Amino acid sequence: MIQEFTFDELKVSQKASFKRKITKEDINLFCRITDDHHPLHTDSEYASKTKFKKPIVHGMYVNSLLSTLIGTYLPGKHALVLSVSSQFVNPAYEDDTLAIEGIVKKKQEYGKVVEIDASILNQDKVQVLVAKIKIQLRE
């Protein structure tokens, strides 16, 4: 269910989260959509020779989960992403279950702009990504 928070309804420190298990099907679909078939993501033999030891999930796929956070959970339907600044802290792997969380850090009345801090952790509570997202609420 898509949330429909308005600017006035959102409160600083308000949080939202969801979980997503990364499947082989997700990875294959992302490869098809983006045409990014880099062997670090798709070739076990190649990846075994890297510091990761096995294929890692595309960072941009993990980053795209921020769109789900904003467009579905916090604030939802009325959001327009203005900017995203993200850092990849650790890799994600196939079969990881990622917890995506956002918290409203700041509201700016002019332009109805909201700043959200987001983080993505894996099932072992290891941070995979951190981000600062600026959105505008359309009402």
Side-chain angles (χ1 to χ4, degrees), residues 4 15 36-37 45 47 56 72 81 83 85 99-100 115 130-132 137:
E4 295 189 42
K15 294 180 182 180
D36 178 355
H37 301 276
E45 184 178 337
I56 62 174
T72 304
V81 174
S83 66
S85 175
I100 300 89
E115 294 179 19
V130 293
K132 293 195 175 293
L137 269 91

Side-chain angles (χ1 to χ4, degrees), residues 39-61:
L40 186 56
H41 309 298
T42 60
D43 183 334
S44 294
E45 184 178 337
Y46 176 89
S48 72
K49 297 173 185 162
T50 71
K51 69 178 184 176
F52 304 111
K53 303 300 180 202
K54 60 184 180 178
I56 62 174
V57 176
H58 297 76
M60 296 312 289
Y61 173 72

Side-chain angles (χ1 to χ4, degrees), residues 83-95:
S83 66
V84 177
S85 175
S86 54
Q87 292 182 297
F88 303 103
V89 181
N90 287 292
Y93 298 94
E94 180 182 338
D95 294 327

Side-chain angles (χ1 to χ4, degrees), residues 17-66:
S17 64
F18 70 99
K19 291 187 177 182
R20 172 73 51 91
K21 182 170 181 163
I22 306 300
T23 67
K24 183 69 170 173
E25 183 179 313
D26 294 332
I27 296 165
N28 290 338
L29 181 59
F30 191 83
C31 286
R32 284 197 312 273
I33 290 169
T34 63
D35 204 23
D36 178 355
H37 301 276
H38 191 286
L40 186 56
H41 309 298
T42 60
D43 183 334
S44 294
E45 184 178 337
Y46 176 89
S48 72
K49 297 173 185 162
T50 71
K51 69 178 184 176
F52 304 111
K53 303 300 180 202
K54 60 184 180 178
I56 62 174
V57 176
H58 297 76
M60 296 312 289
Y61 173 72
V62 174
N63 201 55
S64 75
L65 297 172
L66 299 175

Side-chain angles (χ1 to χ4, degrees), residues 91-131:
Y93 298 94
E94 180 182 338
D95 294 327
D96 276 358
T97 298
L98 302 180
I100 300 89
E101 181 178 89
I103 181 170
V104 176
K105 295 305 277 187
K106 185 177 176 183
K107 289 175 62 176
Q108 175 185 308
E109 185 68 41
Y110 178 76
K112 305 256 190 258
V113 174
V114 176
E115 294 179 19
I116 294 175
D117 283 353
S119 65
I120 300 180
L121 306 177
N122 70 15
Q123 65 281 349
D124 298 319
K125 306 284 190 252
V126 173
Q127 195 166 56
V128 174
L129 181 142
V130 293

